Amino acid sequence: MTTRPRALDLFGGEGLAALGYARAGFDVTTVEIDPERLAHHVTHPHVHVTQGDATTYPLDGFDLVAGSPPCTDHSEQAPLAAQARGGTAGTGWMLAHTLRRVRAWADSTGGLFVIENVEGAKPVMGSPLVLCGTMFGLADEGWYLERHRLFESNAALMAPGPHRCRTRALRGRIIGVYGDLTSNDRSCGGRRRPGGGLRAGVERARRLMGAPWASPRGLALGIPPAYTQYLGEQILTQLGGSLAAAA
Ligand SMILES: [Zn+2]
């Protein structure tokens, strides 16, 4: 029996990121403090859920430390996100704090880390990789998911394909998942999407994100498991090399 490398997912929410890392081949421990979010957590044989404080949870013994510190202070949708989250402003310090912690941990252990956040957090991140649903072909009934997330890592990470949500081919066929989700899609045109577009309702958001178990809040705040599965597979390859070198 082979042992799976161990991943820690801080600020795990409803487990969307953790599921991707588990599918990539990790044994994942998620840390989330909010009982309401834990009540909606994904169930998977290689995802172990812990209720705890992700700002202080020990990092020892893991091969990969991942995390999604609260993004509401950095989000361009800040008012909507704060509403979806129940108004938890003032958590912005957790991103810089977590980056400091995981960089120090990686320097002393040689471990790999991946910290995720929204586009508005770019001033706090190093040189992050940007992923979007259009790179993965995430779509539902001809609507393509625009979902930009930044990933700072000390691993060498690639995007899976071209970034297409600003291309002419997808003009007017872009859909987003954010804010206070309702049961129906809503149109959203305006300056940001000159060709028009949609905000997904709950059921469509579950299909687009690949997270059929998630709550409306979990969908608005989470990332598609496809993102972390793709990154996790790259990290596993790199860990395989470094674990072999250390043996
Ligand atoms: Zn995009």
Side-chain angles (χ1 to χ4, degrees):
M1 195 182 94
T2 52
T3 310
R4 286 176 163 236
R6 296 186 67 207
L8 177 66
D9 190 38
L10 302 168
F11 309 93
E14 298 181 13
L16 283 77
L19 179 61
Y21 289 120
R23 284 178 174 162
F26 285 93
D27 198 59
V28 187
T29 298
T30 69
V31 182
E32 171 58 51
I33 201 163
D34 183 345
E36 194 185 311
R37 308 213 69 200
L38 289 167
H40 294 282
H41 205 283
V42 72
T43 303
H44 186 280
H46 292 291
V47 175
H48 315 285
V49 186
T50 311
Q51 184 171 20
D53 182 352
T55 63
T56 56
Y57 194 85
L59 312 180
D60 313 318
F62 292 96
D63 302 292
L64 167 68
V65 174
S68 304
C71 56
T72 49
D73 285 4
H74 306 292
S75 174
E76 62 183 59
Q77 308 291 344
L80 290 168
Q83 186 186 357
R85 220 186 140 76
T88 42
T91 52
W93 64 274
M94 292 181 185
L95 174 59
H97 167 83
T98 301
L99 285 168
R100 276 194 301 275
R101 268 186 95 205
V102 299
R103 285 178 190 138
W105 166 82
D107 284 347
S108 64
T109 64
L112 298 178
F113 69 85
V114 180
I115 300 299
E116 175 267 329
N117 224 273
V118 294
E119 282 183 299
K122 194 155 197 296
V124 189
M125 312 280 265
S127 303
L129 175 73
V130 181
L131 293 181
C132 174
T134 60
M135 297 175 175
F136 293 84
L138 297 180
D140 185 63
E141 295 178 337
W143 292 97
Y144 286 79
L145 176 64
E146 176 189 55
R147 194 161 190 81
H148 299 162
R149 288 296 184 272
L150 311 181
F151 296 84
E152 177 169 335
S153 178
N154 61 342
L157 300 177
M158 294 186 305
H163 190 184
R164 297 198 295 149
C165 70
R166 299 286 190 267
T167 60
R168 189 168 297 176
L170 296 192
R171 197 177 164 88
R173 296 165 63 193
I174 290 296
I175 190 164
V177 175
Y178 54 88
D180 193 8
L181 274 70
T182 63
S183 53
N184 298 317
D185 296 336
R186 285 175 278 183
S187 66
C188 59
R191 203 155 44 93
R192 190 149 170 266
R193 295 208 183 90
L198 285 184
R199 264 174 75 179
V202 175
E203 288 308 322
R204 194 192 292 279
R206 287 182 173 134
R207 295 196 297 270
L208 285 162
M209 299 277 287
W213 75 90
S215 75
R217 186 171 164 222
L219 293 163
L221 294 172
I223 53 175
Y227 288 16
T228 46
Q229 179 175 350
Y230 185 79
L231 299 179
E233 286 166 356
Q234 296 179 57
I235 290 163
L236 268 185
T237 305
Q238 292 171 48
L239 279 175
S242 64
L243 292 174

